[in-house]
Amino acid sequence: MEKKKNLCAMIPESLHARVREEQTAMEISLGEYVEKIIREHFEKGEETMAGGTRTLALQIPEELFMRIKAYLKKYGLTQKEFIIGLIETALVDAEDEEE
């Protein structure tokens, strides 16, 4: 494993809030998130991230977010599992309708 170094920078509070929101939604540490963003910057033009994955991020109303969090807790799911499940179900349903 490559040796790591600390990176610290002052950013506007509004940008900080957006970063933390997306980082939390991705369920990764802040260090992992910042590393991902910096790597994406330097590796522009590549179709996918390592492992063939892409990031999907969106903003939703606070009330909906809280309802989702309660659902996830009740059923023991992560946000990632929940969203991927919804997308896969919708795509399968659409494919079935086309047939």
Side-chain angles (χ1 to χ4, degrees), residues 49-66:
M49 293 173 49
T53 62
R54 298 291 301 258
T55 300
L56 175 66
L58 63 137
Q59 292 184 342
I60 60 173
E62 178 72 18
E63 181 182 329
L64 179 57
F65 182 79
M66 297 311 292

Side-chain angles (χ1 to χ4, degrees), residues 32-72:
E32 291 168 325
Y33 178 81
V34 171
E35 181 178 348
K36 176 184 114 25
I37 297 300
I38 293 171
R39 285 187 186 280
E40 286 176 358
H41 170 76
F42 285 108
E43 297 168 359
K44 288 185 230 183
E46 291 185 12
E47 288 296 315
T48 60
M49 293 173 49
T53 62
R54 298 291 301 258
T55 300
L56 175 66
L58 63 137
Q59 292 184 342
I60 60 173
E62 178 72 18
E63 181 182 329
L64 179 57
F65 182 79
M66 297 311 292
R67 288 175 58 203
I68 291 169
K69 290 304 254 183
Y71 179 91
L72 298 176

Side-chain angles (χ1 to χ4, degrees), residues 4-95:
K4 299 210 176 208
K5 295 214 35 133
N6 188 36
L7 177 66
C8 182
M10 298 295 289
I11 61 173
E13 286 183 9
S14 60
L15 181 58
H16 183 275
R18 290 177 61 193
V19 165
R20 294 300 294 209
E21 182 179 328
E22 184 172 277
Q23 171 253 322
T24 300
M26 294 174 69
E27 299 180 336
I28 59 177
S29 71
L30 184 57
E32 291 168 325
Y33 178 81
V34 171
E35 181 178 348
K36 176 184 114 25
I37 297 300
I38 293 171
R39 285 187 186 280
E40 286 176 358
H41 170 76
F42 285 108
E43 297 168 359
K44 288 185 230 183
E46 291 185 12
E47 288 296 315
T48 60
M49 293 173 49
T53 62
R54 298 291 301 258
T55 300
L56 175 66
L58 63 137
Q59 292 184 342
I60 60 173
E62 178 72 18
E63 181 182 329
L64 179 57
F65 182 79
M66 297 311 292
R67 288 175 58 203
I68 291 169
K69 290 304 254 183
Y71 179 91
L72 298 176
K73 185 175 181 179
K74 180 178 179 179
Y75 293 100
L77 297 170
T78 65
Q79 288 180 26
K80 181 178 178 178
E81 292 167 333
F82 178 64
I83 298 299
I84 289 174
L86 291 175
I87 293 169
E88 289 175 340
T89 298
L91 293 174
V92 168
D93 290 350
E95 291 166 357

